[in-house]
């Protein structure tokens, strides 16, 4: 995947950050504009063109004033894994048709938080202040963890701090093959590199700009052989024609490339979305088939597959993956105990139960 | 603003031959989907009370600033001339005329959604977006945000007259019209025809649009082709049903097509419950789309003994047969 940045916007006052300088040096041939005080560089509301491309070719360097480390927004209606998000930036250069970010953020452009390095101290202070708690931290919720890494050098910046802490792990979640920065780093301990996977059909038709499944798995193999712990995420699982055969093909591919013993965890999550995302997907991806299924309103206000369909998807994947290796750290993302029990054969009872399960995986892998 | 504009009321109305007035809607007009008859009847009864305001340029051509409907009503009454106020000269800014019209309208009536869109589109070249959002949208009774502005501009600029008429006449809700913006005009027209024919409620309109767009994707058919479905035609032409019944039948049919598994589960559940002899005062319901793991038992009773009686009857029924409808029988 090659990121085609054709414009850079600088927020007021970001020029002095080390990251800004490094990014500008990387992208020295790209025109740079400075954000005006009145915010007029922001896309006007009426620009359909901007809404359609979401500013995926514009890198916007901002000084983020919110908290860098925040819990993943779960809901009490479903069981949540207690993940923490390190908010390095928002929006993503990939263009997956099902991506919730299309409706999640109201600001366009690839926003890079260039004050991250300066704020990392506070992040680690928060982690160190609770030594008995395990922080499972990821950068891949509001953007792809590695898609912009060749430009932003996020991995270079954050690996060291996590690698030397005993109560945290950092997960870099991606659909790209941008692992050069990681592989060049000397840090391995407590770093998890994970790939989002899907069926070849969905990957080919819906994950625009992402690396092919084979390429993702080649990278995963390389990372594994270079000493990284790896993870996988089948999220979103999408019901489509021949979905069983198609997902089986992906698991067959995994078998060809990956040593399952080195997988810390694999999540399964069926496609779910805020109702506001639907018209955006229809507009931006008119050929998509991700909306074809039977989606009903979930208890958290999001649309999700009708319960027995979700159970069938999970149970099928669970069985398939279990046959491959019985100890993959399989878990469901944002599901009810009922669905857990029916499809996985056990249930964590509470969000804390799931947290404990995953924390235990961390202890087993990293001590 | 020009001095005369600040003192409009001081302008003495002059008799203007109506044939000299260009009665096309013009750049200031913000009237759409109106019924001229009440105004015609009013003028017939009491005459023209408020004189229209016209603009005469240096070449002598006359356009309407305010009073488009009054001029139209007078013309349809075959009136030769009418007393009008006239602003003369080429140095009157279009935006000034536009604001005069806007305030004239706001003072006497409520604009429909199409007319609000007309106002906003006409303001865009002259007024900054932020000012439109902060000042003019509240004046029009609209929420002050850019997304709403964008929707109104799109409706005005992209919708066909047929669709706008449906909105202006309240047959098609504005929110539902926005849903139609993402499909082509032929598809739009076929959906609006159905909405108008069956006089669907706002909620039914939303469901019709949503299901139709989804099903046309799932089945790989165009929307007009999909709506040409025999079952839909049969519902539409069924003379035994009135419009509300047709609306409900249509939505029920589309929902079953769109959600076959959910519909099947609902039918199964209904069947399961109906096999129990619950009587009229006891109900068992499932959660919306069965998403919650729990079912609800509702018992109406007068007092303790009657509750006990109902519960004892209930316990004698085969309640062990109740299960999630997608699960095999125990």
């Amino acid at each position: 995947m090659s990121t085609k940045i054709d414009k850079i916007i600088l927020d007021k006052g970001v020029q002095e950050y080390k990251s800004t300088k490094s990014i500008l040096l990387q992208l020295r041939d790209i025109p740079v504009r400075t954000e005006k005080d009145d915010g007029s560089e922001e896309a006007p509301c009426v620009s359909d063109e901007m809404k359609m491309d979401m500013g995926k070719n514009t890198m916007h360097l901002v000084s983020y004033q919110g908290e860098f480390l925040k819990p993943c927004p779960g809901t009490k209606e479903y069981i949540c894994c207690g993940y923490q998000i390190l908010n390095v930036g928002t929006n993503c250069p990939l263009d997956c048709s099902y991506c919730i970010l299309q409706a999640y953020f109201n600001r366009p452009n690839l926003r890079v938080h260039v004050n991250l390095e300066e704020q990392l101290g506070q992040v680690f202070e928060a982690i160190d202040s609770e030594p008995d708690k395990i922080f499972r931290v990821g950068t891949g919720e509001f953007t792809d963890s590695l898609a912009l890494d060749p430009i932003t050098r996020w991995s270079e910046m954050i690996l060291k701090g996590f690698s030397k802490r005993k109560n945290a792990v950092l997960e870099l979640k991606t659909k790209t093959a941008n692992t050069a920065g990681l592989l060049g780093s000397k840090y391995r301990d407590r770093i998890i590199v994970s790939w989002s996977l899907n069926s070849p059909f969905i990957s080919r038709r819906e994950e625009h700009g992402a690396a092919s499944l084979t390429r993702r798995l080649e990278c995963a193999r390389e990372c594994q052989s270079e000493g990284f712990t790896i993870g996988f995420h089948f999220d979103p699982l999408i019901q489509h024609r021949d979905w069983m055969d198609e997902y089986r093909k992906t698991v067959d591919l995994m078998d060809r490339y990956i040593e399952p013993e080195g997988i810390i965890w694999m999540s399964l999550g069926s496609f779910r979305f805020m109702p506001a995302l639907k018209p955006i997907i229809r507009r931006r991806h008119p050929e998509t088939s991700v909306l074809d299924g039977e989606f009903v309103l979930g208890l958290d206000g999001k649309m999700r597959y009708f319960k027995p369909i979700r159970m069938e998807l999970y149970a099928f994947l669970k069985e398939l993956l279990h046959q491959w290796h019985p100890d993959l750290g399989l878990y469901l993302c944002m599901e009810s105990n009922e669905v857990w029990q029916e499809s996985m054969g056990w249930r964590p009872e509470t969000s804390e139960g799931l947290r404990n399960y995953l924390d235990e995986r961390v202890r087993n892998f990293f001590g | 603003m020009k001095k005369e504009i600040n003192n409009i009321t001081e302008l003495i109305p002059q008799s203007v031959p109506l044939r000299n007035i260009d009665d096309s809607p013009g750049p200031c007009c913000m009237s759409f989907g109106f019924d001229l008859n009440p105004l015609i009847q009013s003028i017939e009864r009491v005459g023209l009370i408020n004189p229209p305001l016209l603009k005469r340029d240096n070449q002598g051509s006359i356009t309407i600033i305010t009073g488009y409907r009054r001029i139209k009503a007078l013309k349809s009454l075959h009136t030769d001339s009418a007393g009008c106020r006239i602003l003369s000269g080429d140095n009157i800014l279009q935006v000034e005329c536009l604001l005069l019209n806007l305030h004239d309208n706001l003072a006497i009536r409520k604009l429909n959604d199409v007319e609000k869109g007309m106002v906003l589109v006409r303001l865009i070249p002259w007024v900054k977006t932020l000012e439109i959002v902060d000042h003019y949208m509240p004046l029009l009774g609209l929420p002050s945000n850019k997304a709403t502005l964008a929707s109104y501009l799109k409706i005005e600029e992209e919708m066909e007259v047929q669709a706008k008429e449906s909105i202006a006449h309240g047959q098609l809700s504005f929110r539902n019209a926005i849903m139609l913006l993402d499909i082509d005009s032929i598809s739009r027209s076929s959906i609006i025809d159905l909405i108008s024919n069956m006089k669907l409620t706002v909620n039914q309109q939303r469901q019709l649009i949503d299901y139709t767009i989804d099903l046309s994707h799932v089945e790989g058919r165009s929307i007009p082709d999909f709506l040409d479905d025999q079952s839909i035609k049969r519902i539409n032409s069924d003379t035994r049903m009135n419009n509300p019944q047709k609306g409900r039948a249509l939505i029920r049919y589309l929902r079953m097509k769109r959600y076959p598994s959910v519909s099947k589960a609902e039918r199964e559940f209904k069947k399961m419950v109906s096999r129990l002899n619950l009587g009229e005062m006891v109900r068992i319901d499932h959660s919306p789309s069965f998403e919650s793991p729990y079912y609800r038992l509702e018992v109406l009773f007068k007092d303790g003994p009657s509750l006990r009686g109902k519960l004892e009857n209930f316990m004698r029924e085969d309640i062990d047969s109740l299960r999630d409808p997608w699960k095999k029988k125990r």
Side-chain angles (χ1 to χ4, degrees):
Chain A
M1 184 262 158
S2 60
T3 306
K4 295 188 191 99
I5 306 295
D6 58 20
K7 184 178 168 188
I8 301 171
I9 299 173
L10 298 186
D11 244 9
K12 217 177 137 210
V14 301
Q15 284 89 339
E16 294 313 309
Y17 289 109
K18 258 168 74 182
S19 267
T20 306
K21 288 174 184 163
S22 155
I23 290 168
L24 292 179
L25 196 64
Q26 289 274 327
L27 302 174
R28 53 186 163 274
D29 298 329
I30 310 295
V32 178
R33 280 159 67 173
T34 305
E35 176 88 289
K36 290 172 190 163
D37 287 351
D38 62 359
S40 54
E41 194 58 56
E42 292 284 338
C45 68
V46 286
S47 165
D48 273 355
E49 201 182 316
M50 182 60 91
K51 265 189 181 166
M52 288 297 275
D53 78 7
M54 298 178 64
K56 283 183 181 285
N57 297 334
T58 301
M59 184 170 276
H60 193 149
L61 308 188
V62 302
S63 169
Y64 180 61
Q65 296 306 308
E67 291 205 28
F68 271 82
L69 188 66
K70 269 204 250 188
C72 187
T75 52
K76 62 177 171 41
E77 288 83 5
Y78 297 103
I79 292 172
C80 169
C81 73
Y83 204 63
Q84 300 273 334
I85 298 168
L86 180 62
N87 192 357
V88 295
T90 56
N91 296 328
C92 175
L94 312 185
D95 199 15
C96 303
S97 60
Y98 52 71
C99 181
I100 62 153
L101 298 181
Q102 296 170 101
Y104 199 76
F105 295 114
N106 56 8
R107 292 172 164 186
N109 305 334
L110 306 170
R111 298 172 78 89
V112 176
H113 300 157
V114 287
N115 55 335
L116 168 67
E117 199 165 357
E118 287 72 10
Q119 295 297 315
L120 272 178
Q122 280 187 22
V123 169
F124 290 125
E125 245 172 55
I127 291 173
D128 294 344
S129 71
E130 292 184 79
D132 295 332
K133 175 178 170 181
I134 289 189
F135 285 80
R136 283 174 284 105
V137 181
T139 56
E141 300 302 306
F142 297 152
T143 183
D144 182 286
S145 293
L146 297 179
L148 294 173
D149 197 52
I151 301 168
T152 59
R153 310 275 172 106
W154 281 325
S155 59
E156 203 177 288
M157 219 179 284
I158 53 183
L159 258 54
K160 183 182 172 187
F162 281 95
S163 200
K164 64 182 193 189
R165 275 175 173 76
K166 290 296 167 203
N167 66 331
V169 288
L170 173 70
E171 182 176 33
L172 301 167
K173 210 184 278 184
T174 188
K175 287 192 199 98
T176 74
N178 293 347
T179 47
L182 281 180
L183 295 169
S185 141
K186 60 181 179 186
Y187 302 106
R188 300 287 186 273
D189 194 23
R190 309 191 83 82
I191 307 299
I192 300 154
V193 197
S194 59
W195 277 264
S196 293
L197 298 177
N198 222 302
S199 74
F201 176 86
I202 293 296
S203 174
R204 210 170 40 240
R205 280 179 51 124
E206 311 286 353
E207 296 179 337
H208 310 290
S212 70
L213 280 180
T214 308
R215 188 76 193 99
R216 284 178 231 177
L217 290 168
E218 282 171 354
C219 288
R221 176 169 63 185
E222 196 180 2
C223 282
Q224 200 171 37
S225 66
E226 288 288 328
F228 283 100
T229 296
I230 60 170
F232 291 102
H233 300 279
F234 277 97
D235 193 350
L237 287 171
I238 291 168
Q239 192 193 35
H240 56 86
R241 187 181 296 172
D242 300 329
W243 64 268
M244 290 186 179
D245 289 341
E246 286 285 312
Y247 281 110
R248 186 177 285 117
K249 285 179 195 166
T250 302
V251 178
D252 288 346
L253 262 184
M254 293 172 79
D255 180 44
R256 205 179 306 162
Y257 286 93
I258 305 298
E259 297 295 337
E261 295 79 10
I263 297 173
I264 184 167
W265 51 52
M266 286 181 70
S267 71
L268 305 177
S270 60
F271 183 36
R272 55 208 177 275
F273 54 93
M274 292 178 279
L277 181 63
K278 189 174 173 181
I280 296 173
I281 293 178
R282 285 261 181 256
R283 211 171 300 142
R284 297 193 69 244
H285 305 280
E287 302 303 321
T288 187
S289 58
V290 300
L291 297 170
D292 288 357
E294 289 183 66
F295 294 99
V296 299
L297 193 64
L299 303 173
D300 55 356
K302 288 183 186 163
M303 305 303 292
R304 42 177 67 219
Y305 283 116
F306 181 40
K307 196 159 59 183
I309 297 174
R310 302 201 311 267
M311 289 172 175
E312 191 186 12
L313 280 165
Y314 298 140
F316 177 78
L317 261 292
K318 183 246 170 185
E319 196 50 41
L320 207 57
L321 291 164
H322 199 75
Q323 279 168 16
W324 180 41
H325 188 74
D327 187 26
L328 290 168
L330 288 182
Y331 69 99
L332 300 182
C333 186
M334 299 306 287
E335 273 301 351
S336 63
N337 262 318
E338 182 194 15
V339 173
W340 266 90
Q341 186 65 50
E342 289 292 325
S343 51
M344 308 296 278
W346 71 282
R347 56 176 190 236
E349 299 294 349
T350 59
S351 291
E352 196 188 348
L354 178 56
R355 278 202 295 276
N356 291 340
Y357 168 71
L358 294 172
D359 290 352
E360 197 52 35
R361 300 281 305 175
V362 170
R363 286 189 201 97
N364 290 342
F365 268 72
F366 299 108
Chain B
M1 272 201 173
K2 216 171 171 262
K3 194 182 159 206
E4 300 93 304
I5 294 182
N6 286 330
N7 300 299
I8 296 280
T9 49
E10 288 172 19
L11 292 173
I12 309 234
Q14 306 168 27
S15 176
V16 180
L18 295 183
R19 65 176 182 280
N20 293 351
I21 302 173
D22 178 3
D23 66 350
S24 60
C28 299
C29 174
M30 41 196 78
S31 292
F32 185 88
F34 51 88
D35 177 7
L36 206 54
N37 284 324
L39 185 57
I40 291 173
Q41 284 163 17
S42 157
I43 292 173
E44 265 183 326
R45 183 168 295 180
V46 296
L48 181 69
I49 300 170
N50 294 312
L53 179 64
L54 309 176
K55 183 175 103 171
R56 180 159 47 208
D57 65 19
N58 289 345
Q59 283 71 49
S61 59
I62 297 175
T63 51
I64 303 168
I65 298 176
T66 70
Y68 170 68
R69 293 197 278 192
R70 279 165 273 168
I71 301 285
K72 269 196 99 78
L74 288 164
K75 283 193 176 184
S76 64
L77 285 167
H78 305 293
T79 309
D80 293 330
S81 61
C84 303
R85 294 193 173 100
I86 299 178
L87 287 170
S88 300
D90 282 345
N91 57 347
I92 304 162
L93 294 177
Q94 167 105 14
V95 64
E96 292 174 332
C97 299
L98 192 60
L99 294 179
L100 281 171
N101 188 314
L102 173 62
H103 289 287
D104 182 55
N105 273 296
L106 288 177
I108 54 167
R109 70 191 182 95
K110 205 171 164 232
L111 302 183
N112 63 45
D113 280 318
V114 176
E115 292 171 327
K116 288 174 186 176
M118 291 167 78
V119 173
L120 295 170
V121 164
R122 281 156 175 70
L123 286 173
I124 281 283
W126 308 100
V127 184
K128 279 186 178 169
T129 306
L130 266 183
E131 192 183 344
I132 293 179
V133 171
D134 290 345
H135 179 68
Y136 289 99
M137 292 183 70
L139 262 186
L140 294 168
L142 297 176
S144 189
N145 66 63
K146 288 182 176 182
T148 305
L149 172 62
S151 300
Y152 275 84
L153 297 182
K154 276 191 85 134
I155 293 276
E156 170 58 13
E157 286 167 346
E158 293 178 23
M159 281 280 189
E160 307 73 27
V161 173
Q162 179 211 15
K164 286 183 185 170
E165 278 173 351
S166 298
I167 299 170
H169 296 145
Q171 290 163 344
L172 173 64
S173 85
F174 187 78
R175 280 176 73 98
N176 291 330
I178 292 169
M179 290 172 76
L180 291 173
L181 280 170
D182 291 329
I183 56 175
D184 64 89
S185 62
I186 297 171
S187 301
R188 205 148 52 209
S189 171
S190 59
I191 291 179
I192 292 172
D193 281 345
L194 204 52
I195 288 174
S196 306
N197 282 342
M198 293 197 189
K199 299 196 168 37
L200 298 183
T201 65
V202 171
N203 200 29
Q204 287 171 338
Q205 290 172 22
R206 183 185 55 73
Q207 288 172 296
L208 168 69
I209 297 167
D210 192 33
Y211 295 159
T212 303
I213 294 174
D214 281 358
L215 285 165
S216 75
H217 270 91
V218 174
E219 297 184 5
R221 298 161 70 186
S222 71
I223 287 175
D225 181 41
F226 173 76
L227 291 177
D228 203 30
D229 178 288
Q230 282 305 320
S231 302
I232 295 177
K233 281 184 180 168
R234 214 173 299 127
I235 293 168
N236 199 6
S237 60
D238 191 334
T239 50
R240 292 164 305 171
M241 290 195 280
N242 60 26
N243 276 328
Q245 287 169 327
K246 284 183 188 180
R248 284 195 293 274
L250 173 70
I251 298 305
R252 204 164 40 239
Y253 170 71
L254 291 175
R255 187 172 181 275
M256 271 171 59
K257 274 186 86 106
R258 180 65 186 93
Y259 297 105
S261 312
V262 182
S263 303
K264 187 177 168 210
E266 286 168 347
R267 282 195 306 274
E268 288 287 318
F269 182 78
K270 210 170 163 185
K271 234 188 274 175
M272 237 184 315
V273 173
S274 68
R275 279 190 216 111
L276 306 175
N277 186 19
L278 298 180
E280 281 180 10
M281 314 289 259
V282 180
R283 282 177 54 147
I284 297 178
D285 285 320
H286 60 79
S287 61
S289 309
F290 299 90
E291 185 57 23
S292 161
Y294 301 109
Y295 295 92
R296 179 183 295 272
L297 171 68
E298 192 178 283
V299 184
L300 293 184
F301 60 95
K302 280 184 182 163
D303 50 22
S306 80
L307 172 62
R308 181 181 300 279
K310 284 181 192 304
L311 290 179
E312 280 169 359
N313 285 342
F314 179 71
M315 293 303 287
R316 278 195 287 274
E317 292 299 317
D318 180 19
I319 51 175
D320 286 342
S321 65
L322 288 175
R323 57 186 160 78
D324 290 330
W326 53 88
K327 284 185 187 161
K328 289 194 177 87
K329 281 181 193 163
R330 277 185 283 257

